[in-house]
Amino acid sequence: MQKMTREALLEKARELLSSGKVSAVLGWKKGEFDYDVTPAVFDSVDALEDFVWGDFCGANLSKYLIKETKKHRVLVFLKPCDTYSMNQLLTEHRFEREQVHAVGVPCDGMADINLLRRKAGEGIVSVDSIGEEIKVETLYSDEPVIIDRREVLLERCVNCKSKKHAAFDELLSDAGEDSSSDRFQDVEKLESMTPDERFEFWQNELSRCIRCNACRDVCPACTCETCVFNNPSSGAENKAPVNSFEEQMFHIIRAFHVAGRCTDCGECARVCPEHIPLHLINRKIIKDMNAFYGVFQAGAEVGAKSPLLDYTVSDIEPGAVFDGRDHDA
Amino acid sequence: MPINEYKPLIVAFCCNWCSYAGADLAGNNRANYPCDVKIIRVPCSCRVNPMFILKAFQRGADGVILCGCHPGDCHYTSGNYFTRRRMAVLFSLLDFFGIERERTRVEWISAAEGAKFAATMNEFTKTVAALGENRRLEDLRCKK
Ligand code: SF4
Ligand code: SF4
C-alpha cells in the first residue's frame, strides 16, 4: 500500500481544477481489473471519480505531457523517478514548462503484476493492498492469497534510483532521499560471460520479441514525430523479426537512439508483453558511458548535455575500451 | 593456396579526407592488402550511422572497420571526436550482444599513412579470419 492516500491526490486535483489553474489532470484510472491501471486525462472534477492511486500506478506520465500541454494547462502527478523523464523532455524542448503544474507524489515502490501472477497464479479477479500485504483473489481458489508486497516490486523499484523528486512545483510530502542501489549487477554478470554465452542469452530473450513496439511507444525518450521504425525506406521498418539480425537490429537501434537520454525509468521493461529484460540493454550503455566519460544521469538537470553530444580531446579510444576486460578473450 | 580457403569479407568505411587518401597511397606504393577489404568512402567518419555497420553485417560482412583522420585532424574540426565516443559505446554494445569485439574496429589513418593502411587491413583481416564467418548478424536472404 502507498502511504500517500488517494484522497490527498484527489484533493489537490479538485482544488486546481475548480480554481481554473489547470484545465486537465494527468493521473491513473482503473482498467478492466484492479491491476491494469492505465494513464488517464481528467478534464472535470466529476471525471475524477475514476481516479486511482495505489500499488499499480507504475506508469510514468511524463510522456503524455507532450500531447496534453498543447491543449491544456496540465496538473501532472509524478513519482520521483518520473520527474527525471520530465526534465529530459524539457531538455529536448518537447513542451512548455509553464503549461505544467507538476505535483510530486512520494512512492513506496510499485508492484509488478507479472511477479504477482507468478506467485498468486492466473485468473486474478481482484487485488487489494493492506499495509505491506497484497490480498489477491483468483478464479481458482476460494481463499484469497496473501502476498508480501516487497517480493513483487517492479525491477526498477527494487533498484530505485531516488526517492527525491528532481523537479516539481509542489510536493505532497516532505522531500525524499537519494537511494543507493546496485543496478549494474545483472549487466556485470552478462559481461563476465563469453560472447557465445551472451549471444545465446540474448537470442533466447530477443527471439520472443513480437515487434509490438510497446517499448518504443511507452519510452519518454522516444518522442520523434516520425520514428525510423515507421519509415519503410530506413531498412529498419516495422515488421515481425524473422532472424537473429532483425531481432538484434531493432533492439540495438532502439537502445542506441535513446543512449544518453534514457533516464533508466524502466518503463520499456515494464510494458514488454514478452518480459524481455530491456533495461539491461539501456543500463549497459549507461554503465559504459559512466565509465568512459564520467557519471551522468539523464534528466537530473534540465539542459545537461548528454555524453554522446560532447567530447574531449583525450577521450578513451574504442579499442582501449576492451583492453581493460580481457577475461573473456 | 587452396581455392576454397575461407576469406573473410571486410567492410572498411574510410573518410574522404584522410583514410581514403591513405588507401590511395597504399595502392600507389603497391602495398599489399587483401582484396576482400571493400572500401566505402564517406565524407567523414562521423557520417557513419550505426545502422551502416549493422547493415554491413546483415549483408554478409565478417568484420567492419571504420577509418578516419587522427583526432585533431578532422577536416570538419570535430567529426572524429564524436565518432570516437559513438563507436566506443556502440562496439561495446555489440560485444554485449555477443558480436565479438574483434569484428569491429576504429583506426585513425592519415593521407600520408599508406603503409599503416595496408598493415592495418592485413592485421584486421587476419584477426577476423581467425574468428570465422559472422553468423550472428547475417541475414541469409541477403546471401547469393
Ligand atoms: S515491448 Fe517487447 S515484444 Fe514489444 S517490441 Fe518491445 S521488446 Fe518486442
Ligand atoms: S529506454 Fe526504457 S528505461 Fe530508458 S527512458 Fe526509455 S522507457 Fe525509460
Side-chain angles (χ1 to χ4, degrees):
Chain A
M1 201 170 78
Q2 301 292 318
K3 282 188 206 81
M4 181 55 54
T5 59
R6 169 174 180 265
E7 202 36 53
L9 273 72
L10 270 180
E11 200 180 310
K12 183 67 20 205
R14 280 195 213 107
E15 175 198 322
L16 275 109
L17 265 180
S18 36
S19 72
K21 277 201 182 128
V22 298
S23 54
V25 172
L26 250 175
W28 303 266
K29 76 170 187 207
K30 195 180 133 196
E32 197 157 344
F33 297 99
D34 298 335
Y35 53 79
D36 54 4
V37 171
T38 139
V41 183
F42 306 90
D43 53 9
S44 69
V45 174
D46 293 341
L48 283 170
E49 214 173 290
D50 297 334
F51 186 95
V52 295
W53 166 249
D55 283 342
F56 293 91
C57 292
N60 176 351
L61 303 174
S62 334
K63 189 175 186 178
Y64 301 90
L65 287 171
I66 301 172
K67 197 162 141 218
E68 295 310 319
T69 52
K70 294 208 169 84
K71 299 178 278 189
H72 302 284
R73 185 158 193 277
V74 183
L75 159 62
V76 62
F77 290 109
L78 296 175
K79 304 185 290 296
C81 55
D82 303 342
T83 57
Y84 289 82
S85 311
M86 180 174 87
N87 272 350
Q88 186 58 32
L89 287 164
L90 284 169
T91 303
E92 293 164 20
H93 310 288
R94 302 298 288 144
F95 54 82
E96 301 288 335
R97 181 69 179 86
E98 303 76 57
Q99 285 290 84
V100 180
H101 185 85
V103 176
V105 205
C107 169
D108 300 303
M110 292 292 163
D112 182 343
I113 180 61
N114 298 313
L115 284 181
L116 192 68
R117 256 197 207 115
R118 223 171 286 162
K119 287 196 184 285
E122 291 290 333
I124 297 177
V125 280
S126 82
V127 289
D128 199 10
S129 300
I130 311 139
E132 283 302 306
E133 282 174 351
I134 300 182
K135 197 170 98 194
V136 188
E137 284 178 46
T138 68
L139 280 177
Y140 308 111
S141 82
D142 304 330
E143 288 289 302
V145 193
I146 307 287
I147 309 277
D148 187 339
R149 204 182 74 95
R150 283 158 300 195
E151 286 173 15
V152 293
L153 288 181
L154 284 165
E155 191 280 339
R156 74 163 190 254
C157 303
V158 175
N159 288 314
C160 178
K161 183 161 38 225
S162 172
K163 298 261 184 228
K164 193 162 138 195
H165 292 80
F168 53 85
D169 290 309
E170 60 181 306
L171 285 179
L172 284 186
S173 67
D174 297 336
E177 301 202 344
D178 272 331
S179 25
S180 63
S181 78
D182 214 354
R183 62 177 171 152
F184 295 123
Q185 236 172 17
D186 290 342
V187 175
E188 278 159 15
K189 218 160 56 206
L190 273 167
E191 283 173 343
S192 68
M193 295 178 179
T194 65
D196 290 338
E197 288 166 342
R198 277 197 294 269
F199 182 74
E200 205 171 305
F201 170 86
W202 283 115
Q203 256 352 84
N204 188 23
E205 298 290 347
L206 301 181
S207 55
R208 296 199 307 271
C209 176
I210 51 172
R211 275 304 284 279
C212 65
N213 281 340
C215 50
R216 174 200 67 178
D217 294 344
V218 79
C219 174
C222 277
T223 57
C224 297
E225 303 261 319
T226 312
C227 177
V228 62
F229 296 125
N230 292 352
N231 174 359
S233 55
S234 69
E237 72 275 28
N238 202 6
K239 54 181 183 191
V242 298
N243 57 25
S244 63
F245 169 76
E246 285 182 358
E247 281 154 10
Q248 295 216 349
M249 186 269 301
F250 172 69
H251 291 278
I252 292 169
I253 298 291
R254 189 196 66 80
F256 207 77
H257 274 193
V258 295
R261 309 189 296 118
C262 164
T263 61
D264 202 2
C265 72
E267 283 288 89
C268 44
R270 180 181 70 87
V271 298
C272 177
E274 295 294 331
H275 316 313
I276 298 172
L278 296 164
H279 58 279
L280 291 178
I281 310 174
N282 305 308
R283 260 186 216 158
K284 165 66 179 167
I285 299 183
I286 295 174
K287 178 172 179 282
D288 277 349
M289 289 195 304
N290 283 350
F292 306 159
Y293 314 120
V295 175
F296 177 78
Q297 167 65 53
E301 270 169 68
V302 178
K305 211 169 182 184
S306 130
L308 289 189
L309 299 179
D310 208 358
Y311 66 87
T312 68
V313 288
S314 54
D315 279 338
I316 189 168
E317 290 293 336
V321 164
F322 297 113
D323 296 345
R325 25 176 285 240
D326 256 341
H327 46 268
D328 60 351
Chain B
M1 189 187 277
I3 295 174
N4 289 331
E5 197 201 12
Y6 163 64
K7 292 209 203 95
L9 177 66
I10 307 288
V11 172
F13 291 99
C14 294
C15 87
N16 181 39
W17 305 99
C18 289
S19 309
Y20 193 78
D24 246 355
L25 185 64
N28 283 339
N29 289 345
R30 303 277 187 270
N32 270 327
Y33 68 88
C35 58
D36 312 291
V37 175
K38 307 288 182 225
I39 297 177
I40 297 179
R41 179 161 67 160
V42 285
C44 175
S45 59
C46 195
R47 171 69 182 91
V48 177
N49 177 328
M51 192 68 187
F52 294 4
I53 294 178
L54 297 183
K55 281 268 154 179
F57 281 123
Q58 178 196 22
R59 307 260 160 152
D62 300 311
V64 178
I65 182 165
L66 183 52
C67 306
C69 309
H70 283 267
D73 288 348
C74 177
H75 188 76
Y76 308 99
T77 320
S78 55
N80 54 4
Y81 286 128
F82 291 106
T83 307
R84 187 159 65 174
R85 284 206 168 185
R86 201 178 293 158
M87 293 306 150
V89 173
L90 178 70
F91 291 170
S92 177
L93 183 66
L94 286 177
D95 176 67
F96 190 61
F97 276 98
I99 316 306
E100 299 93 339
R101 62 196 195 220
E102 291 87 357
R103 289 193 194 277
T104 49
R105 188 178 296 188
V106 173
E107 208 64 62
W108 313 121
I109 298 173
S110 83
E113 292 177 325
K116 179 174 178 187
F117 184 88
T120 305
M121 292 308 157
N122 282 321
E123 199 262 318
F124 186 56
T125 311
K126 224 160 93 197
T127 315
V128 176
L131 283 177
E133 248 180 292
N134 148 46
R135 295 194 187 282
R136 300 199 167 154
L137 275 186
E138 79 175 345
D139 192 331
L140 287 173
R141 293 166 304 175
C142 295
K143 284 245 154 139
K144 283 204 201 83

